Amino acid sequence: MVAGITKKGDLHCKGCYNERAEYLSTSQKELSREEWGRIFKEASDLGISMVLLSGEEPLDRRDVLEEAALHRSILFPVFTNGKMLKEYGMLFDENRNLVPVLRLSVEKNAVEGGLQDTFCENMEERMDALKEKGIYFGVSVSVTKENFEEVTGETFLEFLEEKGVGLVNFVEFVPERIKEKGLALEEKDRIELENRIEALRMEKKTMSFIHFPGEEEKTGGCLAAGRGFFFIDAAGGYRPCPFSPYSSCNVKDKTLLEVLDCEVFTKAQ
């Protein structure tokens, strides 16, 4: 399950997925801690073992993260820009079912220009702090045609490995505007990316690599859209895919099991 727990945030890196605020009207209130707690319990009862916490900036909802930490049977990767990590050091240290995943936007030629230009301010410092505490963490990297060679290159990956990164999530750039289409990977690029990731899995045993949504063929189609994943937005709207703004039901008045029978989900299957 993917949970977009908040529509609040102040960092919009190019290519990163964010829970778009325009999908939620101003009249829609975010789910409370208690409501998310019910959802996490129902997810656990249904056998869901991983819930990705996303949104504009999930660390803005400390109450929800504290609630998630109580559900020990679920692993919660938390996709964050990392700006508030210092405030969360003890929470992540004491609750290892919460896994910080730092969202990176890597621009062309950033390595040649200095790694400090690659990340948001103080990102290396945040990585060092997580490594020092022995906290397992990952990074999520948006892959475009411009940065393709760089983010899959040895220099960049050696840097991440040295910093203690345990998980690298390669996310293909999804254009929202016509003028951004040139940044999206072509089919030949996707094949090359998958080949490189397979090679990395053999070479770098201390790190895990995910290709999203490129590995969908292995599960018979898109991992979202009613197959491997489903998504709940900050206001409780249920969607078959994080990139789709359409929902026909809400978890505020339905259980997760009832939500699975909603029209938008059954048609997606």
Side-chain angles (χ1 to χ4, degrees):
M1 186 173 81
V2 183
I5 62 175
T6 181
K7 55 185 177 180
K8 301 174 184 176
D10 60 358
L11 188 65
H12 305 277
C13 296
K14 181 171 67 174
C16 290
Y17 165 70
N18 292 300
E19 171 58 13
R20 301 302 179 188
E22 60 262 34
Y23 290 167
L24 304 175
S25 71
T26 55
S27 62
Q28 290 180 299
K29 292 183 178 180
E30 294 183 348
L31 296 179
S32 66
R33 170 176 178 164
E34 291 71 26
E35 288 171 318
W36 280 117
R38 173 182 64 83
I39 292 168
F40 296 152
K41 182 181 185 307
E42 291 177 1
S44 179
D45 292 342
L46 288 174
I48 294 173
S49 57
M50 182 180 294
V51 176
L52 279 67
L53 300 184
S54 65
E56 284 287 346
E57 178 43 63
L59 297 195
D60 272 330
R61 290 297 307 271
R62 187 183 184 96
D63 59 333
V64 178
L65 266 68
E66 290 176 347
E67 177 64 36
L70 302 177
H71 299 265
R72 299 293 187 179
S73 65
I74 298 178
L75 182 67
F76 292 92
V78 184
F79 284 73
T80 172
N81 61 40
K83 293 179 72 175
M84 293 187 287
L85 271 182
K86 283 187 177 180
E87 303 169 29
Y88 280 81
M90 186 172 294
L91 184 66
F92 282 120
D93 194 15
E94 295 179 349
N95 300 281
R96 297 305 175 103
N97 62 326
L98 301 179
V99 178
V101 180
L102 306 176
R103 294 188 291 209
L104 307 183
S105 180
V106 182
E107 306 301 334
K108 186 178 181 181
N109 297 325
V111 169
E112 289 86 340
L115 284 169
Q116 68 272 15
D117 298 329
T118 307
F119 310 114
C120 304
E121 185 181 0
N122 299 324
M123 187 61 80
E124 291 185 54
E125 180 183 330
R126 294 163 198 159
M127 290 181 176
D128 291 338
L130 291 169
K131 181 180 179 180
E132 184 178 351
K133 288 182 174 293
I135 297 174
Y136 183 86
F137 72 99
V139 297
S140 183
V141 184
S142 178
V143 185
T144 70
K145 285 184 71 68
E146 288 187 348
N147 70 14
F148 180 88
E149 295 291 335
E150 185 168 28
V151 299
T152 59
E154 190 64 24
T155 300
F156 182 65
L157 291 167
E158 281 186 355
F159 169 79
L160 295 181
E161 191 172 28
E162 179 185 336
K163 289 297 179 183
V165 173
L167 169 70
V168 181
N169 182 35
F170 290 108
V171 182
E172 294 179 25
F173 174 76
V174 178
E176 292 188 322
R177 305 171 183 84
I178 294 178
K179 65 179 181 179
E180 296 175 337
K181 289 185 67 175
L183 291 173
L185 301 184
E186 299 176 14
E187 185 59 29
K188 61 181 178 62
D189 300 319
R190 295 190 185 96
I191 294 173
E192 176 61 21
L193 178 58
E194 183 61 30
N195 290 337
R196 292 193 183 194
I197 291 174
E198 287 298 329
L200 288 170
R201 287 170 176 156
M202 298 297 294
E203 296 169 8
K204 298 188 178 297
K205 299 297 185 180
T206 62
M207 304 170 75
S208 298
F209 298 90
I210 300 174
H211 177 195
F212 181 83
E215 296 178 328
E216 60 193 26
E217 292 183 5
K218 296 179 181 178
T219 60
C222 179
L223 282 175
R227 292 177 183 269
F229 289 137
F230 64 93
F231 179 74
I232 297 174
D233 65 36
Y238 169 81
R239 309 184 213 156
C241 174
F243 295 99
S244 168
Y246 306 107
S247 176
S248 64
C249 52
N250 194 293
V251 293
K252 288 183 177 179
D253 49 29
K254 291 182 181 293
T255 66
L256 283 189
L257 196 58
E258 291 171 334
V259 157
L260 297 180
D261 285 327
C262 289
E263 182 180 26
V264 69
F265 186 84
T266 55
K267 283 193 173 183
Q269 292 178 314

